[in-house]
Amino acid sequence: MSATVVTITSGKGGVGKTTTTANLAVALAAAGDKVCCIDGDIGLRNLDVVLGLENRIVYDLVDIIEGRCRLRQAMIRDKRLEELYLIPAAQTRDKSAVSPSDMVKLCDELRSEVDWILIDSPAGIERGFRNTIAPADTILVVTNPEVSAVRDADRIIGLVEAEEKGPAKLIINRVNQALIKRGDMLSADDVVELLAIKLIGVIPDDDNVIISTNRGQPVAFETKSKAGQAFTNIAMRLKGQEVPFLDMDVKDDLFSRLFHTN
Amino acid sequence: MNEEKIVIKGIAEGLLITLRDCPWKEAKNLVISRIDEKGTFFKGARIALDVGDVSLKAAELGKLRDELSEQGITIWAVISKSEITIKTAQVLGLSTELGVPKNYEKQKQSSTFFEGESAVWVEKTLRAGYKVETRCHVVVMGDVNPGAEIISAGNIIVWGRLSGSVHAGADGNKKARVLTLEMDPTGLQIAQIAAAPRLKKRKKQPEIASIFENEIIIESWDIHKNHRGDL
């Protein structure tokens, strides 16, 4: 096996990097691939919480890099999906505990063991960002349809270009079709027009995402949820399949609400 | 006598220093002392060195280059009849000819030969955080996104959508203009005058911004019209 390293980044905080990482990992593992996620947000770890693996952490990323444990020992195996692993971030350290070359080395060691390495990048453009970009084969930029998030995404895409890691691919998260129809939100087309990179997924705004995130049960486990379906579609596109984009029409939402009692 | 051994004259690409019948050690000292004499006159100069048939090794030429660069002077070309010197210059990445056609002077005199002005060519979209700052004109083949910035002493052409911030004629040239296929800048300034924010979003059409009666006006580009502002 030789894994593809995918880094999920955004620039702005709170747009859904961690949620996206967790859900793509679940979707890829559910499709039968072997996946290892790495939480790159050292000092502010939370990918473990979103994946529901918080109480199983013994060793973390910094322990591997500083030689206190072997790579295997820090990989937490998910109990729901056999092929899903997590390397958590250290909580008591900061970004300077890891260097970009440490990350490249670690990923090179991990490449032979899995199909996918998904790295959750911290917000910002400093050390933590550079650490997570360094080993990446593919970079996914997550943004919301908000002017401020799009501006930061543009900056990140520029930095990725400058590091010669581009072109990045775009995920637009929390798209609210009702607001777009009222003309109160940028549409996916508006965002793509400005950022001018390839769109790989559009995630509808879905309350289930918040609920599932709090429960540590990513929404991609549920096939009924629209957001879960959208994440699964991105996973399939990463695997090289052609999947049409979801129809996000509001009417469809109402319709499903009327006829799905649950 | 020294005056004959070293001749300095201005050429199109900077200064040409010609050394004649002079061992290298002496020649080198002459060059350095000449430059010292004139103080800051040479600062930032680009020099072509004509050494005649003197053979130079990389160490000798490299040393002079380093000493001059400390004073802010660049050697960009070495002209010589000696093959060793030519090779040395090539090793150091220097030009070995002046690269100007011999009939340059004649061409310059003819009124239909136009040298033009220098511009910075940018063939990519300038994203947030990118900055271009130059004394030349700027041509961007791509968009200028919000958060990107161009500062030019001359004109700015954006062959794409201009949504970032631009400052043309930045050293006070009120004749500078900004042309773009779609004018929607976050900030637009020509010389010391800033444009008022545009309230209405205009149609997507090529437009030109220039100064007219001390205000920036933006008008649609009309091939038949002379867009020259105050000129």
Side-chain angles (χ1 to χ4, degrees):
Chain A
M1 275 188 264
S2 182
T4 307
V5 182
V6 181
T7 296
I8 292 97
T9 185
S10 71
K12 188 176 178 297
V15 296
K17 286 179 295 295
T18 304
T19 309
T20 302
T21 310
N23 280 290
L24 290 183
V26 166
L28 286 166
D33 287 356
K34 196 167 178 183
V35 185
C36 182
C37 322
I38 301 176
D39 190 344
D41 204 349
I42 298 159
L44 288 168
R45 77 170 174 219
N46 47 29
L47 184 56
D48 51 321
V49 180
V50 177
L51 279 168
L53 299 171
E54 187 183 7
N55 51 14
R56 296 189 38 213
I57 296 175
V58 181
Y59 294 112
D60 59 45
L61 181 63
V62 177
D63 290 323
I64 304 174
I65 282 160
E66 294 182 349
R68 279 187 294 276
C69 71
R70 280 175 290 109
L71 180 61
R72 272 273 166 187
Q73 286 175 295
M75 289 166 67
I76 304 169
R77 182 189 211 153
D78 188 277
K79 283 182 175 149
R80 299 154 293 191
L81 290 164
E82 290 223 327
E83 302 281 45
L84 177 59
Y85 296 84
L86 167 70
I87 297 176
Q91 184 69 317
T92 53
R93 303 290 292 274
D94 64 37
K95 273 49 172 184
S96 61
V98 177
S99 75
S101 62
D102 288 335
M103 288 298 286
V104 172
K105 237 189 276 168
L106 184 135
C107 287
D108 283 346
E109 199 184 333
L110 195 55
R111 266 177 212 272
S112 58
E113 310 235 348
V114 295
D115 299 305
W116 297 94
I117 301 170
L118 303 188
I119 307 177
D120 183 19
S121 171
I125 54 173
E126 295 85 15
R127 178 69 169 269
F129 166 73
R130 279 183 286 125
N131 282 342
T132 55
I133 288 301
D137 301 317
T138 300
I139 290 168
L140 304 183
V141 173
V142 183
T143 189
N144 292 350
E146 292 164 23
V147 175
S148 59
V150 171
R151 178 77 56 90
D152 288 0
D154 190 46
R155 175 94 169 107
I156 287 292
I157 294 163
L159 289 172
V160 169
E161 264 173 23
E163 297 271 332
E164 294 182 344
K165 291 278 186 181
K169 292 184 177 118
L170 183 66
I171 295 175
I172 308 175
N173 192 20
R174 292 166 75 184
V175 172
N176 185 324
Q177 201 62 31
L179 281 180
I180 292 171
K181 277 210 163 162
R182 289 208 324 245
D184 291 331
M185 186 180 257
L186 293 170
S187 73
D189 288 344
D190 295 337
V191 177
V192 172
E193 195 197 328
L194 182 86
L195 296 179
I197 56 171
K198 196 167 188 283
L199 182 68
I200 192 171
V202 181
I203 318 292
D205 196 12
D206 184 344
D207 292 347
N208 289 321
V209 174
I210 298 170
I211 299 164
S212 64
T213 301
N214 288 337
R215 284 195 190 141
Q217 181 86 3
V219 74
F221 278 113
E222 301 164 37
T223 43
K224 268 186 202 164
S225 133
K226 264 215 153 173
Q229 186 60 49
F231 282 121
T232 305
N233 287 353
I234 297 175
M236 295 308 117
R237 290 181 196 118
L238 277 177
K239 282 164 71 77
Q241 297 175 18
E242 292 273 335
V243 186
F245 283 85
L246 279 183
D247 176 18
M248 294 223 227
D249 214 323
V250 190
K251 268 184 265 166
D252 199 29
D253 252 350
L254 259 179
F255 190 78
S256 57
R257 268 184 217 165
L258 285 173
F259 289 92
H260 280 291
T261 45
N262 205 342
Chain B
M1 187 181 134
N2 281 356
E3 299 303 312
E4 290 157 17
K5 286 182 178 172
I6 174 167
V7 179
I8 301 178
K9 69 167 187 175
I11 55 169
E13 299 97 333
L15 292 167
L16 174 65
I17 300 184
T18 313
L19 299 163
R20 284 288 172 262
D21 307 322
C22 182
W24 174 246
K25 218 171 188 177
E26 195 189 334
K28 193 185 118 186
N29 289 336
L30 263 176
V31 170
I32 301 225
S33 67
R34 241 339 155 73
I35 286 168
D36 281 344
E37 265 170 45
K38 297 263 167 89
T40 54
F41 173 74
F42 281 98
K43 192 152 191 174
R46 284 162 47 80
I47 285 179
L49 207 57
D50 183 351
V51 297
D53 38 20
V54 177
S55 299
L56 288 179
K57 293 200 189 88
E60 295 169 320
L61 195 55
K63 201 164 171 232
L64 178 66
R65 184 184 60 175
D66 295 345
E67 281 174 28
L68 291 181
S69 77
E70 274 168 26
Q71 309 206 38
I73 299 162
T74 325
I75 297 186
W76 68 276
V78 171
I79 295 127
S80 175
K81 288 179 197 126
S82 152
E83 275 185 30
I84 298 173
T85 308
I86 290 175
K87 270 212 177 113
T88 301
Q90 283 165 347
V91 167
L92 290 174
L94 301 171
S95 174
T96 52
E97 49 195 27
L98 290 178
V100 182
K102 281 187 184 135
N103 54 355
Y104 178 75
E105 293 294 327
K106 275 182 205 160
Q107 284 190 353
K108 212 177 165 189
Q109 281 160 11
S110 103
S111 60
T112 52
F113 178 78
F114 187 56
E115 211 180 322
E117 291 171 36
S118 305
V120 171
W121 174 260
V122 183
E123 191 161 339
K124 68 182 288 177
T125 287
L126 292 175
R127 296 186 181 274
Y130 278 87
K131 185 172 182 177
V132 176
E133 191 169 0
T134 173
R135 299 197 54 76
C136 303
H137 308 289
V138 176
V139 184
V140 179
M141 182 103 175
D143 296 342
V144 177
N145 285 358
E149 198 179 349
I150 300 174
I151 300 172
S152 158
N155 304 301
I156 297 171
I157 297 180
V158 178
W159 194 257
R161 181 177 46 207
L162 168 56
S163 335
S165 170
V166 293
H167 187 177
D171 61 357
N173 178 12
K174 289 188 172 183
K175 292 169 187 165
R177 282 147 297 164
V178 177
L179 283 88
T180 175
L181 296 183
E182 206 183 318
M183 184 85 77
D184 187 22
T186 336
L188 169 61
Q189 200 177 334
I190 298 175
Q192 297 85 4
I193 299 170
R198 300 176 90 180
L199 299 175
K200 267 194 286 179
K201 194 167 179 179
R202 298 217 192 156
K203 284 180 213 154
K204 297 178 182 178
Q205 59 181 11
E207 287 181 309
I208 175 168
S210 55
I211 294 182
F212 181 69
E213 292 178 350
N214 273 321
E215 244 181 81
I216 290 186
I217 56 159
I218 298 172
E219 48 193 348
S220 61
W221 172 258
D222 180 350
I223 197 165
H224 301 296
K225 199 180 156 197
N226 223 349
H227 297 279
R228 289 225 220 134
D230 273 344
L231 281 187

